[in-house]
Amino acid sequence: MSTLEVRAGLPHTGHTRALIEPLESRRLLSGISSPLGLMLESTPLISSEPLVHARAAKSISWTEAAPSPIPRFEAAGEVVGGKLYVFGGFVDADVHATARSDVFNPRKNTWTQIADMPEPLTHTGHVIIGHKIWFVGGFVGDEGDVISPSTTHTWIYDTKKNTWASGPDLPAARGAGALTKVGNRLDFFGGLETRAADQAEHWVLNLHKLSAGWASAAPLPTAVNHLAGVALSGKIYAIGGQHLWDEDSGNVDLVQVYNPRTGTWTQATPLPAPRGHVADSTFISNGKIVVAGGATNGIPALSDVIVYRPSTDSWTGLSFFPAGRRAPVARAIGGKIIVTTGDPGDVSATDQTWISSRAV
């Protein structure tokens, strides 16, 4: 394994500006626009730009680990038992989808293939329940010249048995929505049924009454797709996303917060800049929300890591990983951040895996 260091005050350059076209329409980009400086956690983000120059006392190094067995982007990822599970995704610039699934063991620096998904999924919401991973909705199959259909399906993967089972279907088909778990309930919100309109519907599933199915709850104040959803301290955060398939100017900076106790949505401090394609690179670490990479308006792939602190309702910068990635998988394991796969901005799949020297 090799180690790369990215230090404060050094420009992160070497790429050219590109015009973004919709990823799923397979229009290739002419290049990648990249960050201009390093943000560390002591530096507040006060600019409307996605990245700012900063001075900092410390740096975070990134070690290149074993690559994913196959290149992919728009995959789904979760951590169970100290291992990173990666499912499905697109595997090439022709936007072919796969059902293949693999698990990464950071202690051994090895990948192992596991049972395929029941269907080749992308843009699926997912959460951990015990040693099982639930997947709800998503787009099924290749993008190609025909739009992948969204689905109502719920699939449950058992990490101990390496088997799949079905769960309660959504009331309507959705892809690129978000799924969270608070207590004994699942919340699914946002996304798309077709390309015609963003969806604000919000459905809740009582895990103690599965036979009752999904029930309606207060809709998102602003309907978006390609958003991230996380639960922290009993609240649900809908982070970023985009409108329709406008990846050039449709990304939003919204942080919409739902309180299950009151059944109401409020607004938190927005992201430092509009950001989408972060559904699988947004996670909780030490009581904070971490967002790694993704894309913002006019920039096809980001490499920054930013942090939200609920106690101060503020965003700060943490680090850059070695290269920009749109729709990567990123999670924290053992006090470190793992970033793997993703699209570098030209609608190609990658297999690189990086591990940080520390997390938040």
Side-chain angles (χ1 to χ4, degrees):
M1 297 191 293
S2 60
T3 299
L4 305 91
E5 280 205 355
V6 187
R7 295 188 178 277
L10 296 180
H12 192 61
T13 58
H15 301 292
T16 57
R17 184 84 180 200
L19 173 65
I20 297 179
E21 295 289 349
L23 174 65
E24 284 80 3
S25 69
R26 301 184 300 147
R27 298 175 186 171
L28 300 182
L29 307 175
S30 60
I32 302 173
S33 180
S34 63
L36 299 177
L38 177 66
M39 301 177 295
L40 291 187
E41 60 181 338
S42 60
T43 307
L45 296 179
I46 57 176
S47 170
S48 62
E49 297 296 323
L51 302 167
V52 296
H53 290 285
R55 294 182 179 181
K58 298 180 180 179
S59 64
I60 292 179
S61 61
W62 293 84
T63 298
E64 187 163 357
S68 166
I70 61 168
R72 59 176 112 200
F73 61 97
E74 299 277 16
E78 288 288 4
V79 173
V80 178
K83 298 177 181 179
L84 176 62
Y85 291 78
V86 179
F87 303 86
F90 295 124
V91 297
D92 54 35
D94 290 324
V95 202
H96 291 130
T98 184
R100 174 166 174 160
S101 304
D102 298 274
V103 58
F104 177 65
N105 186 332
R107 295 183 64 183
K108 297 181 178 180
N109 191 35
T110 57
W111 289 86
T112 302
Q113 187 171 359
I114 56 177
D116 285 355
M117 305 186 88
E119 53 191 346
L121 283 173
T122 63
H123 304 81
T124 176
H126 47 87
V127 295
I128 301 166
I129 303 178
H131 62 274
K132 297 179 180 180
I133 306 173
W134 284 52
F135 298 83
V136 178
F139 296 127
V140 182
D142 302 337
E143 194 63 38
D145 296 324
V146 178
I147 300 169
S148 300
S150 56
T151 182
T152 61
H153 292 164
T154 292
W155 298 107
I156 305 167
Y157 176 71
D158 189 317
T159 61
K160 291 184 176 180
K161 297 180 179 179
N162 191 30
T163 57
W164 290 88
S166 61
D169 284 353
L170 285 172
R174 289 290 183 272
L179 181 72
T180 63
K181 177 182 181 295
V182 174
N184 66 347
R185 61 183 276 167
L186 300 183
D187 289 70
F188 186 97
F189 45 88
L192 295 158
E193 184 169 8
T194 67
R195 293 193 184 213
D198 298 321
Q199 302 297 320
E201 281 92 347
H202 174 193
W203 297 305
V204 176
L205 179 68
N206 186 331
L207 294 170
H208 293 168
K209 298 179 180 179
L210 295 181
S211 61
W214 296 83
S216 294
L220 275 171
T222 301
V224 288
N225 67 84
H226 281 80
L227 72 163
V230 293
L232 180 60
S233 300
K235 294 183 179 180
I236 295 168
Y237 293 79
I239 298 174
Q242 69 184 44
H243 289 305
L244 297 177
W245 296 93
D246 184 1
E247 297 178 11
D248 187 24
S249 59
N251 293 292
V252 302
D253 63 0
L254 296 173
V255 178
Q256 306 180 79
V257 185
Y258 181 73
N259 187 332
R261 292 184 178 182
T262 62
T264 58
W265 290 89
T266 56
Q267 302 289 330
T269 296
L271 289 157
R275 189 177 301 234
H277 284 83
V278 290
D280 282 273
S281 59
T282 300
F283 54 92
I284 303 300
S285 178
N286 294 324
K288 306 174 187 68
I289 299 173
V290 182
V291 181
T296 190
N297 296 330
I299 298 179
L302 298 173
S303 65
D304 61 330
V305 181
I306 60 176
V307 178
Y308 175 79
R309 290 169 171 76
S311 60
T312 58
D313 187 27
S314 62
W315 291 90
T316 57
L318 180 66
S319 179
F320 290 128
F321 48 91
R325 290 291 184 267
R326 176 170 50 184
V329 170
R331 289 292 186 270
I333 301 180
K336 298 181 180 180
I337 299 171
I338 299 176
V339 178
T340 188
T341 67
D343 164 28
D346 58 0
V347 200
S348 65
T350 65
D351 62 4
Q352 284 93 354
T353 301
W354 298 298
I355 302 178
S356 70
S357 56
R358 64 181 177 88
V360 178

